[in-house]
Amino acid sequence: MRTSIAASAAFSSLLALTQAFYIPGFSYKSYRDGETIPLLVNKIYSDYSELQYAFSELPFVCPPTGRVRAGHFTSGSSITLNLGEVLRGDRIVVSDYELVMGNDEEARYLCSQTIDLESIRRAKELIRDGYIAEWIVDNLPGASSFQTTDKSRKYYAAGFKIGEEATPALGGPTEYLLNNHVTLVIRYHRAPGKDGDKGKKVIVGFEVFPKSITASGREESGLPARIEGEHEPLILVPQANGTNSTDTENQPTTLTIPYTYSVYWREDDRLEWHNRWNMYFVAQDDNANVHWLAIINSLVICGLLTAVVSVILTRTIRGDIRGHHDLGIKTKSGRLSSSPKREKKSLLGPVADLDTDDLSSDEEEIEDTTGWKLLHGDVFRAPAYGGLLAALVGSGMQLLYMAFGLLALSTLGVLNPSFRGGYVSVGVGLFVFAGIFSGYFSARTYKTFGGQMWQKNVIVTASLVPGLLFATVFILNLFVWVQASSTALPFGTLIALIMLWLFVQLPLVYIGSWFGYERMGAYTHPIRANVIPRQIPDQRWYLKSGQKLLVAGFVPFIVIFVELMFVVKSLWVDKTTYYYAFGFTGVVSVLLAVTVIEVTLVATYFLLCSENYHWWWHSFAIGGSSSVWVYGYLVYCYFTKLHIAGFVSSVLFFAYSFIACAVYALLTGTVGFLAAYIFVRNIYGAIKVD
C-alpha cells in the first residue's frame, strides 16, 4: 500500500514538473480608457532564411516621422534592448500607429510611400521568401489567429505575412501582393485588484489581420472607399497615377503605396492576464502525449543500460575483486605453510626437489590476474595532451552549471517567452560567472596530470570556449553584415562581449584556478603509475575508435531524439511557434545524463579489459559521441525538412548547428569523463596490489 502511494506521489510530482508553469512578469501593466499605448515594430524573419531584417529599415514601409505621441513616446525611437535581444537580432522601434485604449478606428491613414524599382525588387524577394513581421503591443507579439480542425479552440501563431504570392487565373507570371492594410484586434478585460475598481484594463490578446488593397479609387484622405469585403490587391509593379502603364516608350519606374490600418478593442473575459501566453502554446499542448511516450521510451533504454551496468558492477567486477583478494590470502598462507624442500641425490650431487604444487599455483595466479587488473601500474598514467583535456573538462563543468541553471529557471517559469531575450541573457550571465568553477576543476585536473604552469592553463581554459565562439560569430558576422541583416551583431556589442570576458570571465577563472591548484591540489589516486609504460596489445575490431564512437553515441541520441525533433521544429521549421516544454526537457536531460554515464562506464570497462589504459580521452570522447548523431540529424533535416535557401543562410545554419553540437559534446563529454574517473578510482582502490 505504501509503495503504491509513494509511486503515485512520485508520478504526480513528475507530472507537475513537466508542466513548466511560467511567470509572465512581476507586475502587470494596466491602462485606463483614452490612454495611448505604443505599437512597437521589431523585425521580419522567415522559415526559408536565417537572415532577419529590422522592420523600420525596410525601403517600402512608412519611415518614422519622429512625432512625440501622448505618453512621451517618440516615433522612430529605439527601445533599450538586453543582451539576449541584441544577439537574437531584435531591433525594436516605436511606430506611428496610434492605439488609444477603448477607441475603435474603422479606417485610418498612415502614409504613402513611393518606392523605386530596386525597392520593388526587394519587396518581391522578401515576399517570395515568406517573411513574417513581428509587432509588439504590451509585450505581446502580434499574432495570426487560427482555429483547430474541429473548430473547438483558437490558437495564435506569432507574426503576420508582409505579402502573398498569387498566380493569375488566366496564367502568366507570378504576381506579388503587398499587405498595405492591417486590422488590429486588441483583446482586453478588467484589471484585477484595485486597478480594476478604478476602471483600468489589461491587454490579453493582440491579433493582426493583414490585407492588400489597391492604390486606385481612393479618397482624398488616402483611405479606400470601403475596408470590408473583397478588394483589388496592390500588385508590386511600377504604376503611373495609380494605374498600370501601357506606354512602352516611357515605362514608370516608381510605385506609390498607401498604408492604412484599423483598430478594434474587444473585451475577452475567458483569458486571464497571467495566462495570456497560453494561446501561443496550444499546438504544444496537443503534443503532450508524444512527449510522454518519448520519456517512457527513454526510461526503457535507461532501465536496460542500468541492468547491464549492475551486472558489471555487482557480479563481474565484484567477483574479480573478491577473487583477487582470495588469491592474495591463498598465496600468503601457501608461502607460510609450504613444506621444506627435499634433497635428492644425483650424479652431480644433492639437488633440491622443486615443489610442483608451488609452480602450478603461480601459474594459476598469473592466469587469474588478467584483464583490467593487469593495468594497476598504468591506469593512472597521465594522458597525452593532458593540459588540453583539463581545459576541456573545466569548460565542460562551466557549461554544466550554465545548463543546470537555465533548465531550473525555465522549468520554474522564471525564463519564459514574455521575457524576450531572457534565455540568452541569463545564459551568458551564468556562463560568465561559472568561470570560477571552470578554473577550479581545470586547475585540479591539470595538476593531477602533472602540469606545472597553472597560469598558462588559466589562459587556455578561459579562452577555449569563449574564444572559439567569438571567432566563429565574428566570421559569420562578416557574411551577415554584407546582407545588411539585423542578425549581425553591432560593433558595440562585440566590444561589450570582449570587455565582459576580459574583466569578468578571466578574473573568475584565475581565482578558481588559484584556489584549485594552490589550495586544494591534485586529486589523489590509490595506485601510483609505473615508470615504464605497459605495452598495449592489439585491439579487437569493435574497440576501434570509429565504430566504438558511433555505437556508443547512438544510445543517448535515441533518448533525446523526440525532444530534439521538437526543438528543431521550433528553431528552424516553424519559427512562428514557441518551444516551451522545458519540464519535459528537464526530465529528458536527466535521462540523457544517466544514459551517458552508463554507456561510458560500459565502454570504459571493455577498454580496460582489453588491457588498454588510455581511458582518459576515451571516456571524454564516448560521452560526447552522440553529438555526431545529432549533427547528422540536423544535416538530414536540412535536406529533407527545412526550406532554407541561399548561400549565406546555409552557411549560418551549418555553423550554428556545429556550434550547438560542439557545446553539447563538451557537456556530455565532461559527464562521461567524470563518471569514468570515479569508476576507475573506485575499482582500483578496491584491490590491493603487492
Side-chain angles (χ1 to χ4, degrees):
M1 181 66 178
R2 292 181 178 178
T3 304
S4 60
I5 294 176
S8 301
F11 181 78
S12 301
S13 301
L14 183 64
L15 179 63
L17 176 65
T18 56
Q19 298 304 315
F21 64 91
Y22 73 96
I23 304 172
F26 295 102
S27 62
Y28 57 85
K29 175 68 175 175
S30 58
Y31 305 92
R32 62 174 58 91
D33 288 336
E35 185 174 352
T36 300
I37 301 173
L39 188 151
L40 310 177
V41 295
N42 187 5
K43 61 186 178 183
I44 60 173
Y45 56 90
S46 171
D47 295 337
Y48 299 88
S49 175
E50 292 299 300
L51 298 174
Q52 304 174 119
Y53 301 96
F55 183 88
S56 60
E57 297 176 2
L58 296 176
F60 50 86
V61 302
C62 294
T65 60
R67 291 180 294 177
V68 179
R69 304 289 185 182
H72 307 288
F73 299 109
T74 303
S75 170
S77 60
S78 298
I79 302 299
T80 303
L81 305 177
N82 58 46
L83 179 61
E85 289 175 314
V86 175
L87 294 178
R88 66 194 293 265
D90 288 351
R91 301 294 183 266
I92 303 177
V93 175
V94 179
S95 71
D96 282 300
Y97 291 88
E98 293 187 5
L99 306 179
V100 180
M101 187 70 188
N103 292 354
D104 289 349
E105 293 280 357
E106 183 178 355
R108 184 153 185 170
Y109 175 76
L110 183 65
C111 80
S112 291
Q113 177 72 354
T114 301
I115 60 176
D116 56 13
L117 292 176
E118 178 61 25
S119 298
I120 294 175
R121 183 193 63 80
R122 180 61 174 158
K124 289 181 178 180
E125 287 181 354
L126 296 177
I127 293 174
R128 183 178 64 248
D129 292 339
Y131 270 86
I132 294 172
E134 180 181 300
W135 291 0
I136 303 169
V137 169
D138 192 42
N139 202 34
L140 274 180
S144 300
S145 178
F146 299 94
Q147 284 188 333
T148 56
T149 54
D150 57 358
K151 297 184 179 181
S152 61
R153 288 185 297 175
K154 183 173 72 172
Y155 65 93
Y156 288 161
F160 62 93
K161 292 184 177 181
I162 64 173
E164 298 279 354
E165 287 185 272
T167 302
L170 300 178
T174 301
E175 296 178 342
Y176 295 90
L177 316 179
L178 181 68
N179 292 326
N180 59 334
H181 178 86
V182 290
T183 299
L184 309 177
V185 179
I186 304 176
R187 303 190 179 276
Y188 68 93
H189 71 75
R190 183 175 179 270
K194 296 181 179 179
D195 287 345
D197 298 335
K198 297 178 182 179
K200 291 187 175 182
K201 303 175 178 65
V202 291
I203 295 175
V204 295
F206 175 32
E207 302 172 9
V208 182
F209 300 91
K211 181 184 291 187
S212 180
I213 302 178
T214 182
S216 304
R218 293 191 172 237
E219 301 174 354
E220 293 183 1
S221 61
L223 296 174
R226 57 185 177 84
I227 298 296
E228 299 81 7
E230 298 293 331
H231 298 83
E232 287 292 327
L234 177 69
I235 303 175
L236 286 174
V237 293
Q239 295 181 350
N241 299 324
T243 60
N244 291 334
S245 175
T246 58
D247 186 0
T248 58
E249 295 181 358
N250 189 18
Q251 288 289 344
T253 58
T254 61
L255 172 65
T256 300
I257 305 173
Y259 284 93
T260 56
Y261 64 98
S262 304
V263 182
Y264 296 97
W265 297 84
R266 294 294 180 263
E267 188 171 5
D268 191 342
D269 294 328
R270 295 172 298 176
L271 274 178
E272 296 294 334
W273 186 86
H274 60 276
N275 291 328
R276 62 181 186 168
W277 280 87
N278 289 359
M279 297 294 292
Y280 299 88
F281 305 144
V282 171
Q284 294 191 22
D285 295 338
D286 295 337
N287 295 321
N289 292 333
V290 180
H291 289 283
W292 279 113
L293 290 176
I295 289 177
I296 294 174
N297 173 67
S298 302
L299 285 173
V300 171
I301 295 175
C302 286
L304 293 175
L305 280 175
T306 302
V308 174
V309 173
S310 299
V311 170
I312 292 176
L313 293 178
T314 59
R315 299 189 63 182
T316 307
I317 294 181
R318 185 175 296 178
D320 289 346
I321 294 173
R322 185 184 299 112
H324 184 85
H325 288 167
D326 294 342
L327 181 61
I329 295 173
K330 181 179 178 181
T331 303
K332 291 181 179 180
S333 62
R335 290 173 181 174
L336 292 175
S337 61
S338 60
S339 58
K341 299 177 182 179
R342 298 185 299 272
E343 293 184 352
K344 291 185 179 180
K345 294 183 179 180
S346 66
L347 295 175
L348 299 178
V351 178
D353 185 12
L354 298 178
D355 193 346
T356 57
D357 293 337
D358 291 342
L359 290 175
S360 61
S361 63
D362 291 341
E363 292 175 356
E364 291 177 0
E365 180 180 352
I366 294 174
E367 291 177 358
D368 289 339
T369 310
T370 57
W372 63 272
K373 290 178 291 184
L374 290 175
L375 302 179
H376 58 79
D378 297 274
V379 71
F380 292 109
R381 187 179 304 280
Y385 306 103
L388 177 60
L389 181 58
L392 289 174
V393 171
S395 299
M397 291 300 298
Q398 186 177 8
L399 291 171
L400 277 175
Y401 280 101
M402 180 197 73
F404 177 79
L406 288 177
L407 275 177
L409 294 175
S410 300
T411 304
L412 294 175
V414 177
L415 296 179
N416 55 82
S418 68
F419 184 8
R420 186 173 290 102
Y423 202 81
V424 178
S425 298
V426 175
V428 172
L430 289 174
F431 178 81
V432 170
F433 286 102
I436 191 169
F437 301 106
S438 172
Y440 173 81
F441 286 99
S442 177
R444 293 199 67 183
T445 306
Y446 179 74
K447 192 169 186 178
T448 302
F449 293 157
Q452 301 295 326
M453 297 181 293
W454 67 273
Q455 293 88 349
K456 177 182 177 181
N457 180 66
V458 170
I459 301 299
V460 175
T461 304
S463 306
L464 186 62
V465 174
L468 292 177
L469 289 177
F470 184 84
T472 304
V473 170
F474 182 79
I475 294 174
L476 294 178
N477 253 14
L478 299 179
F479 291 94
V480 179
W481 276 333
V482 174
Q483 302 294 324
S485 170
S486 65
T487 310
L489 297 182
F491 181 75
T493 303
L494 295 176
I495 298 299
L497 291 175
I498 294 176
M499 295 298 102
L500 189 65
W501 173 82
L502 184 62
F503 294 107
V504 181
Q505 158 94 352
L506 186 59
L508 288 176
V509 174
Y510 184 89
I511 293 173
S513 297
W514 173 83
F515 185 78
Y517 192 91
E518 297 290 347
R519 294 292 184 179
M520 302 303 296
Y523 296 105
T524 58
H525 295 151
I527 303 173
R528 292 184 179 180
N530 294 335
V531 178
I532 301 176
R534 178 186 179 87
Q535 185 176 2
I536 299 175
D538 293 336
Q539 302 294 293
R540 297 182 180 273
W541 66 270
Y542 54 83
L543 293 176
K544 302 294 184 181
S545 297
Q547 300 90 321
K548 182 171 51 181
L549 291 178
L550 288 177
V551 174
F554 183 71
V555 180
F557 172 72
I558 292 298
V559 171
I560 65 170
F561 174 72
V562 175
E563 286 304 316
L564 177 64
M565 182 176 61
F566 282 106
V567 172
V568 171
K569 178 182 177 182
S570 179
L571 291 179
W572 285 299
V573 179
D574 188 2
K575 297 179 182 178
T576 60
T577 61
Y578 292 95
Y579 179 82
Y580 197 62
F582 290 108
F584 291 110
T585 306
V587 175
V588 172
S589 298
V590 173
L591 296 177
L592 171 65
V594 173
T595 305
V596 168
I597 290 172
E598 293 176 339
V599 168
T600 306
L601 293 185
V602 173
T604 302
Y605 175 73
F606 286 155
L607 184 77
L608 296 177
C609 287
S610 65
E611 301 181 22
N612 188 343
Y613 53 85
H614 294 315
W615 63 271
W616 301 96
W617 280 103
H618 170 269
S619 61
F620 189 88
I622 290 294
S625 58
S626 57
S627 61
V628 177
W629 289 94
V630 174
Y631 192 77
Y633 174 72
L634 294 178
V635 174
Y636 166 78
C637 290
Y638 175 83
F639 290 104
T640 59
K641 296 183 179 181
L642 305 184
H643 310 289
I644 296 176
F647 173 75
V648 176
S649 294
S650 299
V651 169
L652 292 177
F653 171 79
F654 285 109
Y656 290 153
S657 300
F658 178 79
I659 292 175
C661 290
V663 171
Y664 170 81
L666 203 54
L667 279 168
T668 54
T670 301
V671 172
F673 173 84
L674 295 177
Y677 187 39
I678 296 173
F679 171 72
V680 172
R681 286 186 63 184
N682 286 335
I683 64 173
Y684 282 95
I687 63 175
K688 182 179 180 181
V689 181
D690 294 332

